């Protein structure tokens, strides 16, 4: 039995029908799902010593099993991921959890993250557009040394796309706005100002994006956290 077959056989023994039902409740596509939670898949990668197995990741992605694609994301080596692979995988996106895992766990670690986010936020396909914004989220979370100016440049894009009523786009715009506004006090102020401008656009999507973001970014909890952080890093 080859490595791919062995991994797939093991995955099938780990499935849980109850988890499959819950996936549907959270809006996750589950027609081809086995019902394995993400923490279990990540532990599987560790236990089986599959980290950075690029060739196996490429093979798993081609399998019509939801968890096989997630496993491919968690094991792949970002140093070996190409622009062609990113575009090919993005063309296969069909569920928000696949998008979010690929962008925040793998693609954001490649040298191409910034290039692709600017391309993808201009795309029409719902999941690919979401991927562009989730790459922004990934940078806001992981790139601690990135200057504020880089994230300021994202804000006009969020304002531009705030009209989009599609669920997985508007939620991604909202998530990006909140994540940028939680980096430091300066970006918090800029994100709040952007949210206020979005709110004035008046569309249903824009009002939801803005009100939800403002609720968190202006909260006492976030303001106290950012004030403490500003004392630590001098901002």
């Amino acid at each position: 039995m080859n490595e791919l077959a062995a991994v797939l056989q093991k995955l099938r023994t780990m499935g849980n029908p109850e988890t499959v039902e819950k996936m549907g409740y959270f809006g996750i596509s589950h027609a081809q799902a086995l019902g394995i939670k993400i923490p279990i898949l990540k532990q599987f990668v560790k236990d089986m010593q599959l980290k950075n197995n690029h060739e196996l990741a490429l093979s798993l992605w081609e399998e019509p099993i939801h968890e096989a694609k997630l496993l491919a994301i968690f094991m792949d080596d970002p140093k070996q991921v190409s622009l062609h692979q990113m575009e090919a995988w993005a063309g296969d996106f069909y569920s928000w959890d696949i998008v979010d895992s690929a962008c925040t766990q793998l693609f954001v670690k490649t040298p191409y993250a910034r290039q692709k986010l600017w391309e993808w936020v201009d795309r029409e396909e719902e999941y690919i557009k979401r991927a562009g914004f989730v790459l922004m989220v990934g940078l806001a979370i992981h790139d601690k040394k990135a200057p504020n100016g880089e994230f300021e440049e994202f804000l006009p894009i969020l304002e531009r796309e705030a009209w989009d009523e599609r669920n997985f786009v508007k939620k991604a715009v909202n998530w990006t706005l909140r994540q940028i506004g939680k980096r430091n006090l300066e970006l918090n102020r800029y994100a709040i100002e952007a949210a206020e401008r979005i709110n004035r656009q008046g569309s249903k999507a824009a009002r939801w994006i803005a009100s939800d973001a403002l609720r968190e970014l202006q909260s006492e909890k976030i303001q106290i956290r950012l004030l403490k952080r500003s004392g630590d890093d001098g901002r």
Side-chain angles (χ1 to χ4, degrees):
M1 183 181 296
N2 64 31
E3 189 174 29
L4 174 62
V7 169
L8 291 173
Q9 184 181 70
K10 180 63 176 176
L11 279 180
R12 291 188 177 97
T13 69
M14 297 162 59
N16 186 334
E18 292 183 2
T19 300
V20 174
E21 292 183 17
K22 291 178 181 178
M23 290 169 66
Y25 175 80
F26 289 108
I28 298 172
S29 179
H30 58 287
Q32 301 289 338
L34 300 173
I36 308 171
K37 295 180 179 179
I38 283 178
I40 295 175
L41 289 172
K42 289 183 175 181
Q43 188 61 48
F44 181 74
V45 171
K46 291 181 180 180
D47 293 343
M48 299 291 289
Q49 299 182 342
L50 298 174
K51 194 65 177 173
N52 296 330
N53 191 329
H54 179 64
E55 294 304 320
L56 180 57
L58 293 177
S59 296
L60 281 167
W61 184 266
E62 297 301 319
E63 294 295 321
I65 300 172
H66 190 79
E67 288 81 2
K69 287 180 167 51
L70 287 170
L71 200 63
I73 291 165
F74 300 144
M75 75 167 61
D76 206 353
D77 180 2
K79 294 179 181 179
Q80 298 187 65
V81 173
S82 66
L83 281 169
H84 174 77
Q85 179 185 337
M86 290 177 70
E87 192 62 38
W89 283 22
D92 292 336
F93 286 160
Y94 62 89
S95 184
W96 67 262
D97 63 320
I98 295 286
V99 176
D100 295 2
S101 295
C103 291
T104 63
Q105 303 292 312
L106 179 62
F107 291 168
V108 74
K109 300 175 184 178
T110 72
Y112 315 115
R114 288 165 174 82
Q115 174 183 338
K116 298 310 292 186
L117 73 84
W118 287 109
E119 293 177 13
W120 287 346
V121 294
D122 284 336
R123 293 276 289 273
E124 179 58 28
E125 304 95 321
E126 183 173 7
Y127 288 117
I128 296 181
K129 185 177 286 288
R130 179 183 177 89
F133 291 116
V134 178
L135 278 173
M136 294 180 185
V137 170
L139 290 173
I141 293 172
H142 297 296
D143 194 343
K144 306 298 185 184
K145 296 182 179 180
N148 283 357
E150 178 172 346
F151 298 99
E152 288 180 59
E153 291 180 352
F154 296 158
L155 296 175
I157 308 302
L158 303 181
E159 294 181 44
R160 186 192 74 187
E161 299 297 333
W163 62 271
D164 200 322
E165 297 281 351
R166 291 177 295 177
N167 190 47
F168 298 118
V169 175
K170 72 179 183 181
K171 286 188 174 181
V173 172
N174 168 268
W175 186 15
T176 309
L177 185 60
R178 288 185 292 110
Q179 206 61 52
I180 290 173
K182 290 188 287 186
R183 276 182 68 89
N184 56 58
L185 280 172
E186 183 178 34
L187 284 173
N188 179 263
R189 182 172 74 254
Y190 293 151
I192 287 172
E193 291 171 354
E196 291 171 341
R197 289 192 294 271
I198 288 172
N199 191 52
R200 290 195 290 271
Q201 292 180 16
S203 71
K204 184 177 179 181
R207 289 196 302 271
W208 178 83
I209 289 167
S211 62
D212 185 75
L214 288 169
R215 186 180 304 113
E216 181 173 18
L217 296 178
Q218 293 178 321
S219 69
E220 182 179 7
K221 177 182 177 181
I222 294 299
Q223 292 300 314
I224 290 174
R225 181 192 302 169
L226 294 178
L227 279 169
K228 289 181 178 178
R229 189 179 298 168
S230 69
D232 294 335
D233 64 15
R235 291 186 181 179

